[in-house]
Amino acid sequence: MGTQQSKELVLIPNLEEAAGRVVTYLERYSSHVDRVFTKPMFNSETAAALGIKNGLADKDLTILLKYLERDRQVLASDGNVVRISRPTEVPLPISKEDRAIASLKSLIKDIEKQVRALEAHIADSREKSRRAVESKSRPSALAALRSKRSAESVLAQRMETLFQLEQVLNSIQQASDQIAMVRVMNDSAGVLRGLNAKVGSANDVENALENLKEEMGKVEDITSVISEAGQEVNVADENDIDEEFDALLRQKEAAEEEKATESTKQKLAALEIEDKVEEAHSENLTLSGGATPTIPKATSDSKSSDETSILKSTPLQGGQTSSQDSSRPSHGRKSSDQAILES
């Protein structure tokens, strides 16, 4: 019987899911320097994207890199250096600049680890010296202080080196951004050149502007004519409206004058009636007070006959005539006077 060979299989759904999460996580990096990693650094980014602690095994990482490079075409790798491509870029092979950037970033990471270790060593030496002083152990305290002083000296050197390396990395990033900017400017210049060729020369542009002004002038003329016609119609309408309004005002004023005249007539009639009533009342008061009304004069013949009749009808007592009795009017005279007043 032949020997059975074992095979290693890859679960494609798991691989696709892991690749999608890694690509989404790495989209936060925009500059060229930020998108270049060493393989261990890329494994750390993958662990952060997938939420695992120690990263992928070397074989799993190799499979993921192969899938992202060959099938998804989102990165380029030479086995040691990984460069993430922009969404609009076609992945290019790893260059010398990419390797230099990856080495510089790796060195900075190592020095940062050394700095953290030295800072922890200095803090530990400081604590040891404090405990030695409390226990009154002079040799132990001096040894801890010497160790702390030595670590501080090394830390200063590492910090200076780290500062210089970060400056170099920033300069590389700035130069890389400038290259991208120059590339974009060149592309933009080509686009403008093509557009200017389509537009034509300055004379063509001037001719186009003149034609545009001429056509705009025609539009304005037409608009002006239409506006004038509309204004004439509006003026005629306004005149008719004004005339109608004036007619309404005249009608209203005539109605008010007629009403005022009628009211005045009514007031005058009422005043006339009041005057007549007051006059009649005054005459009644005069008659009731004993005043002698005025009697129209008669002729001499009628007067003498009246006096004769009065004398015959009213004999005096004692052969004497009373002036008071002769002046008192008779009952028939009083009735005649009242009849005259009533008429």
Side-chain angles (χ1 to χ4, degrees):
M1 295 179 63
T3 59
Q4 185 176 3
Q5 296 180 355
S6 61
K7 295 181 180 180
E8 294 180 347
L9 302 177
V10 177
L11 295 175
I12 299 299
N14 293 347
L15 179 60
E16 291 176 347
E17 181 182 358
R21 294 170 63 181
V22 171
V23 169
T24 302
Y25 182 83
L26 295 176
E27 287 177 352
R28 66 184 64 189
Y29 300 116
S30 58
S31 66
H32 179 76
V33 173
D34 292 337
R35 290 182 290 107
V36 176
F37 307 93
T38 60
K39 191 174 180 179
M41 292 169 62
F42 184 79
N43 195 11
S44 299
E45 297 292 333
T46 301
L50 299 178
I52 56 180
K53 185 176 181 180
N54 297 323
L56 297 175
D58 186 67
K59 186 176 293 186
D60 294 337
L61 182 60
T62 302
I63 294 172
L64 180 62
L65 286 172
K66 179 62 67 174
Y67 176 76
L68 292 174
E69 181 180 9
R70 184 189 64 189
D71 299 331
R72 296 289 297 270
Q73 295 184 356
V74 295
L75 59 80
S77 176
D78 63 354
N80 295 319
V81 178
V82 179
R83 186 191 66 243
I84 308 298
S85 301
R86 291 188 176 93
T88 58
E89 286 183 348
V90 177
L92 298 175
I94 299 297
S95 62
K96 293 180 180 179
E97 290 82 4
D98 295 332
R99 294 187 182 93
I101 293 172
S103 299
L104 184 59
K105 290 177 69 176
S106 178
L107 181 59
I108 290 173
K109 290 288 184 182
D110 292 340
I111 293 177
E112 287 176 348
K113 290 179 182 179
Q114 294 177 16
V115 167
R116 289 193 293 270
L118 289 170
E119 289 175 347
H121 178 71
I122 291 170
D124 184 62
S125 298
R126 186 182 295 109
E127 182 64 22
K128 287 181 179 179
S129 63
R130 187 184 63 81
R131 289 198 300 265
V133 170
E134 290 178 355
S135 62
K136 298 180 181 180
S137 177
R138 179 182 176 82
S140 298
L142 292 176
L145 291 174
R146 292 190 186 96
S147 178
K148 182 177 76 69
R149 183 67 58 85
S150 177
E152 289 175 347
S153 177
V154 175
L155 177 62
Q157 295 176 1
R158 294 292 184 274
M159 292 294 293
E160 182 65 23
T161 302
L162 180 62
F163 175 73
Q164 293 177 357
L165 292 176
E166 288 178 345
Q167 279 189 328
V168 173
L169 185 63
N170 291 332
S171 299
I172 293 173
Q173 183 171 355
Q174 184 176 2
S176 177
D177 294 338
Q178 290 175 352
I179 291 172
M181 185 181 300
V182 171
R183 185 183 299 112
V184 171
M185 293 174 66
N186 289 330
D187 295 340
S188 301
V191 172
L192 289 175
R193 191 180 300 110
L195 294 175
N196 290 331
K198 294 179 181 180
V199 171
S201 62
N203 292 329
D204 296 335
V205 176
E206 290 180 357
N207 293 332
L209 291 176
E210 290 295 333
N211 294 332
L212 180 61
K213 289 181 181 179
E214 182 178 356
E215 297 301 325
M216 290 177 65
K218 292 179 181 179
V219 173
E220 291 178 357
D221 293 338
I222 295 172
T223 304
S224 177
V225 172
I226 295 174
S227 299
E228 291 177 357
Q231 290 177 358
E232 293 177 357
V233 175
N234 291 334
V235 169
D237 293 341
E238 289 294 331
N239 292 332
D240 294 339
I241 291 172
D242 291 339
E243 292 177 359
E244 185 175 356
F245 180 73
D246 292 338
L248 291 175
L249 285 178
R250 288 193 295 271
Q251 292 178 2
K252 181 179 179 182
E253 291 175 355
E256 290 179 351
E257 290 178 358
E258 184 178 358
K259 184 177 180 181
T261 302
E262 184 65 25
S263 177
T264 303
K265 289 181 179 180
Q266 293 177 359
K267 290 181 180 178
L268 290 175
L271 291 174
E272 186 177 357
I273 294 172
E274 290 178 359
D275 291 340
K276 290 181 178 181
V277 172
E278 290 178 358
E279 183 179 355
H281 184 65
S282 299
E283 291 177 352
N284 291 330
L285 290 177
T286 302
L287 293 175
S288 62
T292 304
T294 302
I295 301 172
K297 293 181 178 182
T299 59
S300 58
D301 296 337
S302 60
K303 181 177 179 181
S304 58
S305 60
D306 290 337
E307 289 176 351
T308 302
S309 61
I310 293 172
L311 289 174
K312 290 180 178 181
S313 59
T314 55
L316 295 176
Q317 295 178 1
Q320 294 183 356
T321 304
S322 174
S323 60
Q324 184 177 359
D325 294 337
S326 62
S327 63
R328 183 177 299 169
S330 63
H331 180 72
R333 184 178 178 180
K334 182 177 181 181
S335 301
S336 176
D337 291 338
Q338 289 179 354
I340 293 171
L341 289 176
E342 289 176 359
S343 63

